[in-house]
Amino acid sequence: MGFDRGDGGAEGSGGCREHSVRGARVLVFEDSRDACREAAARLVEIAREAIRERDKAVLGLATGKTPLGVYAALAQTHKEGLFSFRNVTTYNLDEYYPMSPRDPNSYRTFMHRHLFSQVDLAPNRAHVPDGTVPAAFADETGAAYDRWIEADGGLDAQLLGIGRNGHIGFNEPSETALEEALRSPTRLVELDVMTRHDAAADFGGLEQVPTRAVTMGMKSILGARSILVLAFGSNKAGAVANALQGHPTALVPASLLQTVSERVTWMLDPDSARGLDF
Ligand code: PGA
């Protein structure tokens, strides 16, 4: 990998241009499929190193359209006999609430289809927040989720997408003070109207989209030793620019990644990067 020369970026590996924006690495790929393959390769590399060092790897995973190519590449790597998930533990970012794990729209179903059923990950090591707990105990269960992550030694890597409103996981834009937002635990949240609109097609209409979700909080996300953020398409350009070049604020949750920028790599395509001022 090279260095940002301030003239359009340096040549990176995997057919990308590499830039540095406020301390974060920003890789711009001509083709989003290459970005997904590169993200999968990095996750495998991080997992291998963690397994070498402490006999296990802990990966934070995301749902949505953006990471589909990452899961396809991970499944392929496993199928080719190049990587086993036997010593891997995963923690997904979020789940709708209330939501049965068997519902076709649940994130548990999504993960089962795209990754869990494709690799040799043990069922008691593939965690997705629980959308079935009583509401009065959702925050308590969220706190337990954070404790599990901590007991596992923290996340070696966290894979992230970004919403058009700048959300990560379902940490939605809010007026919360910066310090409090940075410490937010895994918890029950209300979904932003833009988030619900973006999910309407999957649920067969806005009315069917749950109004709440359980999301991993910023504390566990920002604690990851490596953070990979993927964003593709022009509808993400505004959120990407605000996250990377705006002030860190809970109004743009992804901008909070600036507080740990030395651990963050953004993997973009030219459309999602077009609002950035390199
Ligand atoms: P998407 O969602 O990958 O479906 O665009 C990303 C997100 O909302 O975090």
Side-chain angles (χ1 to χ4, degrees):
M1 285 290 176
F3 299 96
D4 186 5
R5 301 186 305 239
D7 62 352
E11 193 77 36
S13 68
C16 67
R17 306 293 296 170
E18 175 169 350
H19 306 263
S20 173
V21 179
R22 295 191 185 174
R25 293 167 85 194
V26 179
L27 309 181
V28 183
F29 293 79
E30 278 309 311
D31 188 330
S32 62
R33 288 170 298 187
D34 289 333
C36 287
R37 279 191 283 266
E38 181 67 16
R42 282 168 189 243
L43 289 176
V44 167
E45 195 181 309
I46 288 167
R48 280 204 181 107
E49 197 175 317
I51 291 166
R52 252 196 318 272
E53 279 176 12
R54 58 187 186 110
D55 293 328
K56 69 172 173 187
V58 184
L59 302 179
L61 301 178
T63 48
K65 290 178 193 70
T66 309
L68 282 174
V70 180
Y71 298 135
L74 288 174
Q76 184 63 26
T77 305
H78 173 70
K79 205 167 140 202
E80 289 169 3
L82 300 173
F83 184 69
S84 167
F85 286 76
R86 217 173 33 246
N87 295 316
V88 175
T89 298
T90 65
Y91 287 94
N92 261 82
L93 285 170
D94 44 21
E95 180 59 281
Y96 291 106
Y97 185 89
M99 179 59 73
S100 160
R102 301 180 67 89
D103 189 298
N105 279 314
S106 78
Y107 282 160
R108 167 63 73 174
T109 296
F110 176 101
M111 289 309 300
H112 182 76
R113 180 181 309 138
H114 296 291
L115 186 69
F116 299 162
S117 65
Q118 309 293 316
V119 299
D120 58 344
L121 188 59
N124 66 342
R125 299 181 79 146
H127 308 295
V128 179
D130 188 349
T132 71
V133 296
F137 292 88
D139 287 348
E140 195 174 296
T141 311
Y145 199 74
D146 289 328
R147 286 202 306 276
W148 294 356
I149 293 172
E150 215 181 307
D152 261 326
L155 301 166
D156 292 301
Q158 175 66 57
L159 182 64
L160 296 174
I162 180 172
R164 287 191 299 134
N165 63 2
H167 75 198
I168 50 179
F170 280 138
N171 292 279
E172 300 285 24
S174 82
E175 304 276 351
T176 311
L178 184 67
E179 285 308 314
E180 194 185 328
L182 292 172
R183 284 194 309 265
S184 64
T186 298
R187 66 204 185 284
L188 188 58
V189 295
E190 296 283 330
L191 291 175
D192 188 66
V193 63
M194 196 184 280
T195 300
R196 295 187 63 238
H197 271 281
D198 287 349
D202 290 339
F203 282 86
L206 183 61
E207 292 306 307
Q208 322 304 324
V209 182
T211 59
R212 292 182 289 176
V214 179
T215 186
M216 191 190 289
M218 293 306 304
K219 185 163 189 277
S220 287
I221 294 172
L222 296 173
R225 288 182 277 282
S226 181
I227 300 176
L228 302 182
V229 198
L230 270 55
F232 308 130
S234 54
N235 65 342
K236 300 289 174 72
V240 167
N242 286 336
L244 273 160
Q245 293 180 326
H247 293 298
T249 164
L251 290 168
V252 181
S255 69
L256 302 178
L257 295 168
Q258 287 181 35
T259 62
V260 295
S261 60
E262 69 286 355
R263 287 187 262 127
V264 181
T265 302
W266 288 75
M267 304 177 88
L268 307 175
D269 67 358
D271 284 340
S272 64
R274 75 179 185 194
L276 290 172
D277 186 18
F278 289 124

